[in-house]
Amino acid sequence: MIHMIQKAKEQVQTLTDAAYQKTAEEGLLPAGVTAKATIEIPKDVANGDYTTTFCLAAAKAMRKNPREVAKLLTERMDLSDSYFTSVAIAGPGFLNFRLGDKWYKETLSVVETEGADYGKNDMLQGKKYMVEFVSANPTGPMHMGNARGGVLGDTLAQVLSWSGADVWREFYVNDAGNQIEKFAKSLEARYLQIIKGEDAVEFPEDGYHGDDIRELAQLFYEENGDKYLNCEEKERHDTLSSFGLNHNIPKMKTDLARYGIRYDRWFFESSLHESGFVADTVNKLTERGFTYEKDGALWLRTSQILAAQLRAAGKTQEDIDKLDLKDDVLRRANGFYTYFAADIAYHRNKFEVRGFDKVINIWGADHHGHVARLKGAMDALGLNGTEKLDIVLMQLVKLVRDGEVVRMSKRTGKAISLTDLLDEIPVDACRYFFNAKPETQMEFDLGLAVREDSENPVYYVQYAHARICTLLKNLAAEGHAVPKGSEVDLSVLTDDLEKALIKQIAAYCEEVRLAARDYDPSHINRYLIDLAAAFHKFYNACRIKGEEEKILSARLLLADCTRRVLENAMKLIGCSAPEKM
RNA sequence: GCCUCAGUAGCUCAGUUGGAUAGAGCAACCGCCUUCUAAGCGGUAGGUCGGGGGUUCGAACCCCUCCUGGGGUACCA
């Protein structure tokens, strides 16, 4: 778990600090100045490999010209035994450092020793994370948003785990409450229509009108005939809804599995009701004085909880009034608990019963109004939802083909389901495309995703991997196996493109860390394109086969390290890295 | 109305949390295969970073304000 960019940055920091200390001791600069300096990698390599803004940031406090400070520091900077071969003053007072062989060599040797683990970091070491994602309503087929959420959640979980967290993946199954009632009534109507005729039974106005309900009712009828025609309504409802769920839930599991998505647990909402945990949680809120009764229903004082938080965050009463905060119903007048009550109980379970340090939920942007309320409810229970609960809101997916918005499946004429999508688009393309920045609205171009050419970024990356594999195979056939790093003299790698490729390889650890920090695994997508591009450029300019032994070995090792990183990163986002294309 | 996300090249997006001349991919145009996979590489062209103010050595990024688009604002889940 060695992070070469971090190591280089730390060294820039130490070198700069030491030089400043020395200068201050000589009395040439005021001592004890702390500056908010940043260490970065300049966009243009002409400005060095690493740069620090220390002189710019500290100049004011030192009452000196930044370039003057820079001059004093560079004169006293000792680069021996460091990764750097030179330091230069540039522009208004940047200190630009140039990397030497030592760093490049160490970078490749880390890839070699860490192998399949290369890219891991320890930012979240020892933390227990849960990612809850998809959690689609089990009353019907999954849609595009679920596909995006599935890919995003799975990759995010992966990225967090590569950053050291102990990650748990969960699907929350809403198998209780109002929509299950609706589900049962809809199935019932279709079932009775099969027996008595379409016109003899009225379909509920707010029922589920989809064809999947008809199909389920038909299946049920084929298995049970008119056995449930004359029984108690409740028995019929219960039987029908559990029949429907027993059919739909396994279907969701297999659909998600086709995308390579698996869960540690499918958590059933009904279990929270049956164990009395929902009732207990609502009672707890009541004990703490956060509820009241009105019109026969039990309400949570959401507006009061949120207003208190906003005041603490420094908002004025006027700002708060503008928000027009509303309270929420926990238990309806008919005695049933709301979805919100169950959700509060569920999240209490995540924190209190199972002890997660951090819970991340991936929701569609349409649930945005729910975020503050759920966090507030957690805070009301003393569970610190503000800190420990993070909601990633992902924007909607717009399907596009040839520039036209697609709403229906070509084949079935119905709304496009996940199954349809996978029948049309390969898994690799789906994983890659849906792994986009969560909070931006995305267009999924069906035409592009199936293209097997350079327009499709998935193939661009996969091609780089396959190219290397073939190369390694051909060279092995000629007796050139990939050498050990210790057997190779990497100082022969002097071309700018070779150096650029090694720097790109080193950047992987940082991208994984940023993806975990931002909850945005699309960092890896962009990284893969950059790495593939760096390789293709190198490949085009530097020959391997037929070069003299020393150069051949060094370049062969570099190619193999690139292959390893491409493979690791592709696996991370759930795409395959083919050995030939 | 209020909340929220977004607005950067013709299109899809980056921009390392305030750094140097704003970058990629695709599309357009011009080149590069008797030599390791041309599913590749090089080059040209393309910009008022939505508009306007402000903060400072320095702003696409921070603050104010306005404009445009998506989503939300249930005793639904």
Side-chain angles (χ1 to χ4, degrees), chain A residues 134-142 146 171-174 245 247-259 261 263 266 268 418-419:
Chain A
V134 183
S135 301
N137 204 320
T139 54
M142 292 190 287
N146 299 140
F171 190 116
Y172 182 51
V173 187
N174 304 127
L245 292 179
H247 186 273
N248 283 356
I249 294 169
K251 173 91 170 75
M252 294 200 292
K253 287 188 185 178
T254 51
D255 277 353
L256 289 165
R258 283 180 75 190
Y259 284 90
I261 296 164
Y263 288 92
W266 290 63
F268 289 83
L418 291 205
T419 323

PDB file of all heavy atoms in Angstrom, chain A residues 134-142 146 171-174 245 247-259 261 263 266 268 418-419:
ATOM      1  N   VAL A 134     -29.932   0.551  -4.936  1.00  0.00           N
ATOM      2  CA  VAL A 134     -31.054   0.068  -5.749  1.00  0.00           C
ATOM      3  C   VAL A 134     -32.330   0.056  -4.904  1.00  0.00           C
ATOM      4  O   VAL A 134     -33.166   0.930  -5.040  1.00  0.00           O
ATOM      5  CB  VAL A 134     -30.813  -1.286  -6.425  1.00  0.00           C
ATOM      6  CG1 VAL A 134     -32.019  -1.639  -7.284  1.00  0.00           C
ATOM      7  CG2 VAL A 134     -29.562  -1.246  -7.282  1.00  0.00           C
ATOM      8  N   SER A 135     -32.461  -0.928  -3.999  1.00  0.00           N
ATOM      9  CA  SER A 135     -33.646  -0.993  -3.148  1.00  0.00           C
ATOM     10  C   SER A 135     -34.918  -0.658  -3.914  1.00  0.00           C
ATOM     11  O   SER A 135     -35.763   0.106  -3.446  1.00  0.00           O
ATOM     12  CB  SER A 135     -33.506  -0.057  -1.935  1.00  0.00           C
ATOM     13  OG  SER A 135     -32.375  -0.420  -1.171  1.00  0.00           O
ATOM     14  N   ALA A 136     -35.036  -1.251  -5.086  1.00  0.00           N
ATOM     15  CA  ALA A 136     -36.194  -0.962  -5.935  1.00  0.00           C
ATOM     16  C   ALA A 136     -37.455  -1.581  -5.365  1.00  0.00           C
ATOM     17  O   ALA A 136     -37.406  -2.609  -4.680  1.00  0.00           O
ATOM     18  CB  ALA A 136     -35.945  -1.504  -7.340  1.00  0.00           C
ATOM     19  N   ASN A 137     -38.562  -0.950  -5.630  1.00  0.00           N
ATOM     20  CA  ASN A 137     -39.848  -1.461  -5.216  1.00  0.00           C
ATOM     21  C   ASN A 137     -40.087  -2.841  -5.846  1.00  0.00           C
ATOM     22  O   ASN A 137     -40.024  -2.975  -7.065  1.00  0.00           O
ATOM     23  CB  ASN A 137     -40.908  -0.475  -5.723  1.00  0.00           C
ATOM     24  CG  ASN A 137     -42.162  -0.564  -4.909  1.00  0.00           C
ATOM     25  OD1 ASN A 137     -42.579  -1.664  -4.548  1.00  0.00           O
ATOM     26  ND2 ASN A 137     -42.755   0.569  -4.617  1.00  0.00           N
ATOM     27  N   PRO A 138     -40.357  -3.854  -5.021  1.00  0.00           N
ATOM     28  CA  PRO A 138     -40.474  -5.212  -5.568  1.00  0.00           C
ATOM     29  C   PRO A 138     -41.820  -5.504  -6.217  1.00  0.00           C
ATOM     30  O   PRO A 138     -42.124  -6.656  -6.521  1.00  0.00           O
ATOM     31  CB  PRO A 138     -40.279  -6.091  -4.331  1.00  0.00           C
ATOM     32  CG  PRO A 138     -40.811  -5.275  -3.212  1.00  0.00           C
ATOM     33  CD  PRO A 138     -40.522  -3.844  -3.561  1.00  0.00           C
ATOM     34  N   THR A 139     -42.610  -4.469  -6.426  1.00  0.00           N
ATOM     35  CA  THR A 139     -43.928  -4.700  -7.013  1.00  0.00           C
ATOM     36  C   THR A 139     -43.895  -4.706  -8.537  1.00  0.00           C
ATOM     37  O   THR A 139     -44.906  -4.977  -9.173  1.00  0.00           O
ATOM     38  CB  THR A 139     -44.918  -3.605  -6.565  1.00  0.00           C
ATOM     39  OG1 THR A 139     -44.337  -2.331  -6.870  1.00  0.00           O
ATOM     40  CG2 THR A 139     -45.172  -3.683  -5.073  1.00  0.00           C
ATOM     41  N   GLY A 140     -42.756  -4.360  -9.116  1.00  0.00           N
ATOM     42  CA  GLY A 140     -42.706  -4.352 -10.575  1.00  0.00           C
ATOM     43  C   GLY A 140     -41.293  -4.473 -11.084  1.00  0.00           C
ATOM     44  O   GLY A 140     -40.352  -4.571 -10.292  1.00  0.00           O
ATOM     45  N   PRO A 141     -41.108  -4.451 -12.395  1.00  0.00           N
ATOM     46  CA  PRO A 141     -39.772  -4.599 -12.968  1.00  0.00           C
ATOM     47  C   PRO A 141     -38.894  -3.374 -12.706  1.00  0.00           C
ATOM     48  O   PRO A 141     -39.398  -2.275 -12.489  1.00  0.00           O
ATOM     49  CB  PRO A 141     -40.041  -4.751 -14.468  1.00  0.00           C
ATOM     50  CG  PRO A 141     -41.399  -4.209 -14.697  1.00  0.00           C
ATOM     51  CD  PRO A 141     -42.151  -4.309 -13.419  1.00  0.00           C
ATOM     52  N   MET A 142     -37.607  -3.581 -12.706  1.00  0.00           N
ATOM     53  CA  MET A 142     -36.677  -2.474 -12.445  1.00  0.00           C
ATOM     54  C   MET A 142     -36.509  -1.624 -13.702  1.00  0.00           C
ATOM     55  O   MET A 142     -36.707  -2.092 -14.811  1.00  0.00           O
ATOM     56  CB  MET A 142     -35.338  -3.023 -11.991  1.00  0.00           C
ATOM     57  CG  MET A 142     -35.422  -3.670 -10.607  1.00  0.00           C
ATOM     58  SD  MET A 142     -33.808  -4.068  -9.939  1.00  0.00           S
ATOM     59  CE  MET A 142     -33.385  -5.461 -10.948  1.00  0.00           C
ATOM     60  N   ASN A 146     -32.538   2.193 -11.773  1.00  0.00           N
ATOM     61  CA  ASN A 146     -32.055   1.096 -10.947  1.00  0.00           C
ATOM     62  C   ASN A 146     -30.744   0.538 -11.486  1.00  0.00           C
ATOM     63  O   ASN A 146     -29.870   0.134 -10.719  1.00  0.00           O
ATOM     64  CB  ASN A 146     -33.086  -0.033 -10.878  1.00  0.00           C
ATOM     65  CG  ASN A 146     -34.405   0.425 -10.267  1.00  0.00           C
ATOM     66  OD1 ASN A 146     -35.474   0.043 -10.724  1.00  0.00           O
ATOM     67  ND2 ASN A 146     -34.331   1.256  -9.243  1.00  0.00           N
ATOM     68  N   PHE A 171     -29.489  -4.419   0.076  1.00  0.00           N
ATOM     69  CA  PHE A 171     -30.694  -4.077  -0.704  1.00  0.00           C
ATOM     70  C   PHE A 171     -31.848  -4.073   0.278  1.00  0.00           C
ATOM     71  O   PHE A 171     -32.085  -5.049   0.962  1.00  0.00           O
ATOM     72  CB  PHE A 171     -30.907  -5.149  -1.774  1.00  0.00           C
ATOM     73  CG  PHE A 171     -31.972  -4.816  -2.801  1.00  0.00           C
ATOM     74  CD1 PHE A 171     -31.644  -4.657  -4.139  1.00  0.00           C
ATOM     75  CD2 PHE A 171     -33.314  -4.691  -2.424  1.00  0.00           C
ATOM     76  CE1 PHE A 171     -32.625  -4.378  -5.084  1.00  0.00           C
ATOM     77  CE2 PHE A 171     -34.288  -4.406  -3.364  1.00  0.00           C
ATOM     78  CZ  PHE A 171     -33.952  -4.253  -4.700  1.00  0.00           C
ATOM     79  N   TYR A 172     -32.550  -2.966   0.374  1.00  0.00           N
ATOM     80  CA  TYR A 172     -33.690  -2.847   1.283  1.00  0.00           C
ATOM     81  C   TYR A 172     -34.947  -3.183   0.492  1.00  0.00           C
ATOM     82  O   TYR A 172     -35.259  -2.511  -0.495  1.00  0.00           O
ATOM     83  CB  TYR A 172     -33.747  -1.420   1.822  1.00  0.00           C
ATOM     84  CG  TYR A 172     -34.847  -1.128   2.819  1.00  0.00           C
ATOM     85  CD1 TYR A 172     -35.045  -1.928   3.938  1.00  0.00           C
ATOM     86  CD2 TYR A 172     -35.668  -0.005   2.649  1.00  0.00           C
ATOM     87  CE1 TYR A 172     -36.037  -1.624   4.864  1.00  0.00           C
ATOM     88  CE2 TYR A 172     -36.654   0.309   3.574  1.00  0.00           C
ATOM     89  CZ  TYR A 172     -36.836  -0.506   4.676  1.00  0.00           C
ATOM     90  OH  TYR A 172     -37.809  -0.194   5.588  1.00  0.00           O
ATOM     91  N   VAL A 173     -35.626  -4.215   0.903  1.00  0.00           N
ATOM     92  CA  VAL A 173     -36.808  -4.670   0.171  1.00  0.00           C
ATOM     93  C   VAL A 173     -38.072  -4.118   0.819  1.00  0.00           C
ATOM     94  O   VAL A 173     -38.387  -4.465   1.957  1.00  0.00           O
ATOM     95  CB  VAL A 173     -36.885  -6.215   0.148  1.00  0.00           C
ATOM     96  CG1 VAL A 173     -38.020  -6.663  -0.762  1.00  0.00           C
ATOM     97  CG2 VAL A 173     -35.570  -6.816  -0.293  1.00  0.00           C
ATOM     98  N   ASN A 174     -38.778  -3.262   0.091  1.00  0.00           N
ATOM     99  CA  ASN A 174     -40.015  -2.677   0.630  1.00  0.00           C
ATOM    100  C   ASN A 174     -41.166  -3.655   0.444  1.00  0.00           C
ATOM    101  O   ASN A 174     -42.006  -3.496  -0.415  1.00  0.00           O
ATOM    102  CB  ASN A 174     -40.356  -1.371  -0.090  1.00  0.00           C
ATOM    103  CG  ASN A 174     -39.223  -0.377  -0.015  1.00  0.00           C
ATOM    104  OD1 ASN A 174     -38.779   0.147  -1.021  1.00  0.00           O
ATOM    105  ND2 ASN A 174     -38.729  -0.129   1.186  1.00  0.00           N
ATOM    106  N   LEU A 245     -44.257 -11.398  -4.753  1.00  0.00           N
ATOM    107  CA  LEU A 245     -42.911 -11.081  -4.256  1.00  0.00           C
ATOM    108  C   LEU A 245     -41.955 -12.244  -4.484  1.00  0.00           C
ATOM    109  O   LEU A 245     -40.799 -12.042  -4.864  1.00  0.00           O
ATOM    110  CB  LEU A 245     -42.967 -10.729  -2.773  1.00  0.00           C
ATOM    111  CG  LEU A 245     -43.688  -9.421  -2.426  1.00  0.00           C
ATOM    112  CD1 LEU A 245     -43.697  -9.211  -0.921  1.00  0.00           C
ATOM    113  CD2 LEU A 245     -43.034  -8.235  -3.119  1.00  0.00           C
ATOM    114  N   HIS A 247     -41.947 -14.161  -6.775  1.00  0.00           N
ATOM    115  CA  HIS A 247     -41.598 -14.211  -8.183  1.00  0.00           C
ATOM    116  C   HIS A 247     -40.676 -13.039  -8.545  1.00  0.00           C
ATOM    117  O   HIS A 247     -39.678 -13.200  -9.234  1.00  0.00           O
ATOM    118  CB  HIS A 247     -42.879 -14.158  -9.016  1.00  0.00           C
ATOM    119  CG  HIS A 247     -42.640 -14.346 -10.479  1.00  0.00           C
ATOM    120  ND1 HIS A 247     -42.335 -13.309 -11.319  1.00  0.00           N
ATOM    121  CD2 HIS A 247     -42.622 -15.462 -11.239  1.00  0.00           C
ATOM    122  CE1 HIS A 247     -42.155 -13.779 -12.539  1.00  0.00           C
ATOM    123  NE2 HIS A 247     -42.326 -15.086 -12.523  1.00  0.00           N
ATOM    124  N   ASN A 248     -41.012 -11.848  -8.053  1.00  0.00           N
ATOM    125  CA  ASN A 248     -40.276 -10.636  -8.441  1.00  0.00           C
ATOM    126  C   ASN A 248     -38.887 -10.521  -7.818  1.00  0.00           C
ATOM    127  O   ASN A 248     -37.949 -10.069  -8.465  1.00  0.00           O
ATOM    128  CB  ASN A 248     -41.071  -9.392  -8.067  1.00  0.00           C
ATOM    129  CG  ASN A 248     -42.205  -9.127  -9.042  1.00  0.00           C
ATOM    130  OD1 ASN A 248     -42.345  -9.831 -10.044  1.00  0.00           O
ATOM    131  ND2 ASN A 248     -43.013  -8.128  -8.756  1.00  0.00           N
ATOM    132  N   ILE A 249     -38.770 -10.896  -6.554  1.00  0.00           N
ATOM    133  CA  ILE A 249     -37.492 -10.683  -5.866  1.00  0.00           C
ATOM    134  C   ILE A 249     -36.372 -11.547  -6.467  1.00  0.00           C
ATOM    135  O   ILE A 249     -35.294 -11.020  -6.768  1.00  0.00           O
ATOM    136  CB  ILE A 249     -37.647 -10.856  -4.342  1.00  0.00           C
ATOM    137  CG1 ILE A 249     -38.550  -9.724  -3.820  1.00  0.00           C
ATOM    138  CG2 ILE A 249     -36.293 -10.815  -3.640  1.00  0.00           C
ATOM    139  CD1 ILE A 249     -39.005  -9.896  -2.391  1.00  0.00           C
ATOM    140  N   PRO A 250     -36.611 -12.843  -6.686  1.00  0.00           N
ATOM    141  CA  PRO A 250     -35.542 -13.613  -7.349  1.00  0.00           C
ATOM    142  C   PRO A 250     -35.200 -13.054  -8.727  1.00  0.00           C
ATOM    143  O   PRO A 250     -34.039 -13.093  -9.141  1.00  0.00           O
ATOM    144  CB  PRO A 250     -36.157 -15.017  -7.479  1.00  0.00           C
ATOM    145  CG  PRO A 250     -37.203 -15.074  -6.432  1.00  0.00           C
ATOM    146  CD  PRO A 250     -37.754 -13.682  -6.301  1.00  0.00           C
ATOM    147  N   LYS A 251     -36.200 -12.520  -9.400  1.00  0.00           N
ATOM    148  CA  LYS A 251     -35.955 -11.927 -10.726  1.00  0.00           C
ATOM    149  C   LYS A 251     -35.010 -10.723 -10.601  1.00  0.00           C
ATOM    150  O   LYS A 251     -34.098 -10.542 -11.406  1.00  0.00           O
ATOM    151  CB  LYS A 251     -37.300 -11.487 -11.317  1.00  0.00           C
ATOM    152  CG  LYS A 251     -37.225 -10.700 -12.610  1.00  0.00           C
ATOM    153  CD  LYS A 251     -37.285 -11.615 -13.826  1.00  0.00           C
ATOM    154  CE  LYS A 251     -37.459 -10.842 -15.130  1.00  0.00           C
ATOM    155  NZ  LYS A 251     -36.228 -10.170 -15.546  1.00  0.00           N
ATOM    156  N   MET A 252     -35.228  -9.908  -9.555  1.00  0.00           N
ATOM    157  CA  MET A 252     -34.342  -8.761  -9.341  1.00  0.00           C
ATOM    158  C   MET A 252     -32.926  -9.251  -9.054  1.00  0.00           C
ATOM    159  O   MET A 252     -31.948  -8.676  -9.531  1.00  0.00           O
ATOM    160  CB  MET A 252     -34.843  -7.906  -8.176  1.00  0.00           C
ATOM    161  CG  MET A 252     -36.176  -7.239  -8.459  1.00  0.00           C
ATOM    162  SD  MET A 252     -36.534  -5.813  -7.398  1.00  0.00           S
ATOM    163  CE  MET A 252     -36.741  -6.585  -5.834  1.00  0.00           C
ATOM    164  N   LYS A 253     -32.843 -10.313  -8.259  1.00  0.00           N
ATOM    165  CA  LYS A 253     -31.513 -10.844  -7.930  1.00  0.00           C
ATOM    166  C   LYS A 253     -30.782 -11.299  -9.180  1.00  0.00           C
ATOM    167  O   LYS A 253     -29.602 -10.983  -9.363  1.00  0.00           O
ATOM    168  CB  LYS A 253     -31.631 -12.018  -6.950  1.00  0.00           C
ATOM    169  CG  LYS A 253     -32.002 -11.585  -5.553  1.00  0.00           C
ATOM    170  CD  LYS A 253     -31.917 -12.722  -4.550  1.00  0.00           C
ATOM    171  CE  LYS A 253     -32.433 -12.240  -3.204  1.00  0.00           C
ATOM    172  NZ  LYS A 253     -32.442 -13.248  -2.158  1.00  0.00           N
ATOM    173  N   THR A 254     -31.467 -12.028 -10.053  1.00  0.00           N
ATOM    174  CA  THR A 254     -30.769 -12.528 -11.238  1.00  0.00           C
ATOM    175  C   THR A 254     -30.449 -11.385 -12.202  1.00  0.00           C
ATOM    176  O   THR A 254     -29.377 -11.376 -12.807  1.00  0.00           O
ATOM    177  CB  THR A 254     -31.579 -13.613 -11.986  1.00  0.00           C
ATOM    178  OG1 THR A 254     -32.899 -13.116 -12.218  1.00  0.00           O
ATOM    179  CG2 THR A 254     -31.651 -14.887 -11.201  1.00  0.00           C
ATOM    180  N   ASP A 255     -31.357 -10.413 -12.312  1.00  0.00           N
ATOM    181  CA  ASP A 255     -31.063  -9.272 -13.189  1.00  0.00           C
ATOM    182  C   ASP A 255     -29.822  -8.535 -12.717  1.00  0.00           C
ATOM    183  O   ASP A 255     -28.941  -8.209 -13.515  1.00  0.00           O
ATOM    184  CB  ASP A 255     -32.242  -8.294 -13.214  1.00  0.00           C
ATOM    185  CG  ASP A 255     -33.309  -8.732 -14.216  1.00  0.00           C
ATOM    186  OD1 ASP A 255     -33.056  -9.705 -14.956  1.00  0.00           O
ATOM    187  OD2 ASP A 255     -34.377  -8.099 -14.252  1.00  0.00           O
ATOM    188  N   LEU A 256     -29.742  -8.282 -11.424  1.00  0.00           N
ATOM    189  CA  LEU A 256     -28.589  -7.553 -10.888  1.00  0.00           C
ATOM    190  C   LEU A 256     -27.327  -8.398 -11.000  1.00  0.00           C
ATOM    191  O   LEU A 256     -26.247  -7.871 -11.283  1.00  0.00           O
ATOM    192  CB  LEU A 256     -28.853  -7.137  -9.444  1.00  0.00           C
ATOM    193  CG  LEU A 256     -29.895  -6.019  -9.310  1.00  0.00           C
ATOM    194  CD1 LEU A 256     -30.383  -5.892  -7.881  1.00  0.00           C
ATOM    195  CD2 LEU A 256     -29.322  -4.694  -9.794  1.00  0.00           C
ATOM    196  N   ALA A 257     -27.479  -9.690 -10.825  1.00  0.00           N
ATOM    197  CA  ALA A 257     -26.318 -10.574 -10.931  1.00  0.00           C
ATOM    198  C   ALA A 257     -25.745 -10.545 -12.346  1.00  0.00           C
ATOM    199  O   ALA A 257     -24.542 -10.694 -12.541  1.00  0.00           O
ATOM    200  CB  ALA A 257     -26.692 -11.999 -10.535  1.00  0.00           C
ATOM    201  N   ARG A 258     -26.601 -10.325 -13.325  1.00  0.00           N
ATOM    202  CA  ARG A 258     -26.107 -10.233 -14.710  1.00  0.00           C
ATOM    203  C   ARG A 258     -25.175  -9.041 -14.879  1.00  0.00           C
ATOM    204  O   ARG A 258     -24.317  -9.029 -15.745  1.00  0.00           O
ATOM    205  CB  ARG A 258     -27.269 -10.095 -15.697  1.00  0.00           C
ATOM    206  CG  ARG A 258     -27.996 -11.406 -15.959  1.00  0.00           C
ATOM    207  CD  ARG A 258     -29.138 -11.206 -16.943  1.00  0.00           C
ATOM    208  NE  ARG A 258     -28.675 -11.054 -18.318  1.00  0.00           N
ATOM    209  CZ  ARG A 258     -29.472 -10.675 -19.317  1.00  0.00           C
ATOM    210  NH1 ARG A 258     -30.742 -10.404 -19.090  1.00  0.00           N
ATOM    211  NH2 ARG A 258     -29.008 -10.559 -20.544  1.00  0.00           N
ATOM    212  N   TYR A 259     -25.368  -8.024 -14.061  1.00  0.00           N
ATOM    213  CA  TYR A 259     -24.468  -6.864 -14.100  1.00  0.00           C
ATOM    214  C   TYR A 259     -23.247  -7.085 -13.197  1.00  0.00           C
ATOM    215  O   TYR A 259     -22.464  -6.175 -12.985  1.00  0.00           O
ATOM    216  CB  TYR A 259     -25.189  -5.606 -13.596  1.00  0.00           C
ATOM    217  CG  TYR A 259     -26.153  -4.990 -14.569  1.00  0.00           C
ATOM    218  CD1 TYR A 259     -27.480  -5.377 -14.578  1.00  0.00           C
ATOM    219  CD2 TYR A 259     -25.729  -4.014 -15.460  1.00  0.00           C
ATOM    220  CE1 TYR A 259     -28.382  -4.811 -15.462  1.00  0.00           C
ATOM    221  CE2 TYR A 259     -26.616  -3.441 -16.343  1.00  0.00           C
ATOM    222  CZ  TYR A 259     -27.937  -3.838 -16.344  1.00  0.00           C
ATOM    223  OH  TYR A 259     -28.818  -3.277 -17.220  1.00  0.00           O
ATOM    224  N   ILE A 261     -23.555  -7.640  -9.994  1.00  0.00           N
ATOM    225  CA  ILE A 261     -23.844  -7.001  -8.714  1.00  0.00           C
ATOM    226  C   ILE A 261     -24.397  -8.019  -7.732  1.00  0.00           C
ATOM    227  O   ILE A 261     -25.398  -8.681  -8.007  1.00  0.00           O
ATOM    228  CB  ILE A 261     -24.865  -5.863  -8.916  1.00  0.00           C
ATOM    229  CG1 ILE A 261     -24.258  -4.784  -9.808  1.00  0.00           C
ATOM    230  CG2 ILE A 261     -25.314  -5.288  -7.586  1.00  0.00           C
ATOM    231  CD1 ILE A 261     -25.276  -3.823 -10.371  1.00  0.00           C
ATOM    232  N   TYR A 263     -25.129  -8.778  -3.364  1.00  0.00           N
ATOM    233  CA  TYR A 263     -25.312  -8.111  -2.071  1.00  0.00           C
ATOM    234  C   TYR A 263     -24.893  -9.018  -0.927  1.00  0.00           C
ATOM    235  O   TYR A 263     -24.946 -10.240  -1.038  1.00  0.00           O
ATOM    236  CB  TYR A 263     -26.788  -7.738  -1.897  1.00  0.00           C
ATOM    237  CG  TYR A 263     -27.215  -6.591  -2.774  1.00  0.00           C
ATOM    238  CD1 TYR A 263     -27.744  -6.826  -4.038  1.00  0.00           C
ATOM    239  CD2 TYR A 263     -27.071  -5.280  -2.348  1.00  0.00           C
ATOM    240  CE1 TYR A 263     -28.126  -5.769  -4.854  1.00  0.00           C
ATOM    241  CE2 TYR A 263     -27.456  -4.220  -3.155  1.00  0.00           C
ATOM    242  CZ  TYR A 263     -27.984  -4.470  -4.406  1.00  0.00           C
ATOM    243  OH  TYR A 263     -28.359  -3.430  -5.198  1.00  0.00           O
ATOM    244  N   TRP A 266     -30.129  -8.996   1.642  1.00  0.00           N
ATOM    245  CA  TRP A 266     -31.392  -8.401   1.214  1.00  0.00           C
ATOM    246  C   TRP A 266     -32.204  -8.235   2.487  1.00  0.00           C
ATOM    247  O   TRP A 266     -32.614  -9.218   3.088  1.00  0.00           O
ATOM    248  CB  TRP A 266     -32.098  -9.293   0.193  1.00  0.00           C
ATOM    249  CG  TRP A 266     -31.383  -9.329  -1.116  1.00  0.00           C
ATOM    250  CD1 TRP A 266     -30.115  -9.803  -1.338  1.00  0.00           C
ATOM    251  CD2 TRP A 266     -31.865  -8.848  -2.370  1.00  0.00           C
ATOM    252  NE1 TRP A 266     -29.780  -9.642  -2.662  1.00  0.00           N
ATOM    253  CE2 TRP A 266     -30.843  -9.061  -3.321  1.00  0.00           C
ATOM    254  CE3 TRP A 266     -33.059  -8.259  -2.790  1.00  0.00           C
ATOM    255  CZ2 TRP A 266     -30.976  -8.710  -4.659  1.00  0.00           C
ATOM    256  CZ3 TRP A 266     -33.194  -7.917  -4.125  1.00  0.00           C
ATOM    257  CH2 TRP A 266     -32.150  -8.136  -5.057  1.00  0.00           C
ATOM    258  N   PHE A 268     -35.394  -7.179   4.625  1.00  0.00           N
ATOM    259  CA  PHE A 268     -36.830  -7.037   4.399  1.00  0.00           C
ATOM    260  C   PHE A 268     -37.481  -6.068   5.368  1.00  0.00           C
ATOM    261  O   PHE A 268     -37.373  -6.231   6.578  1.00  0.00           O
ATOM    262  CB  PHE A 268     -37.508  -8.414   4.470  1.00  0.00           C
ATOM    263  CG  PHE A 268     -37.177  -9.276   3.286  1.00  0.00           C
ATOM    264  CD1 PHE A 268     -35.998 -10.014   3.256  1.00  0.00           C
ATOM    265  CD2 PHE A 268     -38.024  -9.321   2.191  1.00  0.00           C
ATOM    266  CE1 PHE A 268     -35.670 -10.779   2.155  1.00  0.00           C
ATOM    267  CE2 PHE A 268     -37.707 -10.094   1.084  1.00  0.00           C
ATOM    268  CZ  PHE A 268     -36.532 -10.823   1.064  1.00  0.00           C
ATOM    269  N   LEU A 418     -34.541  -3.586 -17.283  1.00  0.00           N
ATOM    270  CA  LEU A 418     -33.133  -3.957 -17.205  1.00  0.00           C
ATOM    271  C   LEU A 418     -32.810  -5.138 -18.088  1.00  0.00           C
ATOM    272  O   LEU A 418     -31.749  -5.207 -18.693  1.00  0.00           O
ATOM    273  CB  LEU A 418     -32.770  -4.335 -15.760  1.00  0.00           C
ATOM    274  CG  LEU A 418     -32.754  -3.253 -14.733  1.00  0.00           C
ATOM    275  CD1 LEU A 418     -31.823  -3.642 -13.617  1.00  0.00           C
ATOM    276  CD2 LEU A 418     -32.303  -1.963 -15.346  1.00  0.00           C
ATOM    277  N   THR A 419     -33.725  -6.075 -18.134  1.00  0.00           N
ATOM    278  CA  THR A 419     -33.503  -7.262 -18.947  1.00  0.00           C
ATOM    279  C   THR A 419     -33.344  -6.867 -20.410  1.00  0.00           C
ATOM    280  O   THR A 419     -32.430  -7.323 -21.088  1.00  0.00           O
ATOM    281  CB  THR A 419     -34.700  -8.228 -18.801  1.00  0.00           C
ATOM    282  OG1 THR A 419     -35.153  -8.162 -17.454  1.00  0.00           O
ATOM    283  CG2 THR A 419     -34.313  -9.627 -19.148  1.00  0.00           C
TER     284      THR A 419
END
